[in-house]
Amino acid sequence: MNVEEQIKEYIASQPEPKRSDMQALHHLILQALPGCKLWFDNGKNSEGKIVSNPNIGYGFYTIKYADGKTRDFFQIGLSANTTGISVYILGIKDKTYLAQTFGKELGKASVTGYCIKFKNLKDINTDILEAAIRYGVEVTSEN
């Protein structure tokens, strides 16, 4: 199964209204990042053990670890969780930037260093979410 099929299956497996919200977010991210690399991480480690929620990934980012090693990864992540949906924006060095810049205008969402978490899409301002995503991609593209 290719990445697009895995993503489609993952979104389809979500209960409503999360399914519709994730489909809308998937389209929003694809519009914000046309032609980006798509990823799908099923949340399982090499032994098949579940270690995280499945993630849809968008874009390309190289994580640089303190020991000098690197790992290719996605810039933007989308994941369902027990209380709603999480959007991950990786590679922003200032861990307060997202909350300070987008937090107040975003709506009913909790914002940490790289994660925007919310219950329903209708609870947030999608234009502000898109601006945060675009910012994250611009910042990681400069590194």
Side-chain angles (χ1 to χ4, degrees):
M1 189 177 336
N2 71 26
V3 172
E4 281 95 356
E5 290 167 339
Q6 289 175 305
I7 291 169
K8 193 173 187 178
E9 189 175 277
Y10 173 58
I11 292 172
S13 74
Q14 301 303 313
E16 284 296 351
K18 197 179 292 186
R19 179 183 321 138
S20 295
D21 285 354
M22 289 196 63
Q23 188 66 52
L25 283 165
H26 180 61
H27 287 295
L28 178 131
I29 296 168
L30 289 175
Q31 282 183 320
L33 311 174
C36 70
K37 177 179 170 78
L38 286 175
W39 306 66
F40 185 75
D41 178 357
N42 64 9
K44 296 178 182 175
N45 67 11
S46 56
E47 289 99 49
K49 192 173 172 182
I50 296 173
V51 293
S52 69
N53 289 327
N55 264 289
I56 302 168
Y58 308 85
F60 184 85
Y61 167 60
T62 302
I63 298 173
K64 296 174 181 103
Y65 293 102
D67 65 3
K69 292 182 181 169
T70 61
R71 177 179 172 201
D72 292 342
F73 212 61
F74 48 80
Q75 293 169 300
I76 306 299
L78 174 62
S79 180
N81 58 56
T82 54
T83 59
I85 298 170
S86 295
V87 175
Y88 302 96
I89 303 175
L90 305 177
I92 299 173
K93 294 203 184 336
D94 180 349
K95 299 302 174 203
T96 63
Y97 188 85
L98 275 182
Q100 289 177 348
T101 308
F102 303 104
K104 286 184 180 74
E105 295 179 65
L106 207 45
K108 287 192 211 171
S110 69
V111 184
T112 62
Y114 63 92
C115 180
I116 298 170
K117 192 187 295 189
F118 48 92
K119 187 169 171 55
N120 297 298
L121 193 55
K122 66 178 173 43
D123 295 336
I124 64 161
N125 182 329
T126 54
D127 290 339
I128 301 300
L129 178 64
E130 185 177 347
I133 289 167
R134 287 181 189 275
Y135 170 79
V137 170
E138 286 170 20
V139 167
T140 54
S141 296
E142 293 169 2
N143 295 338

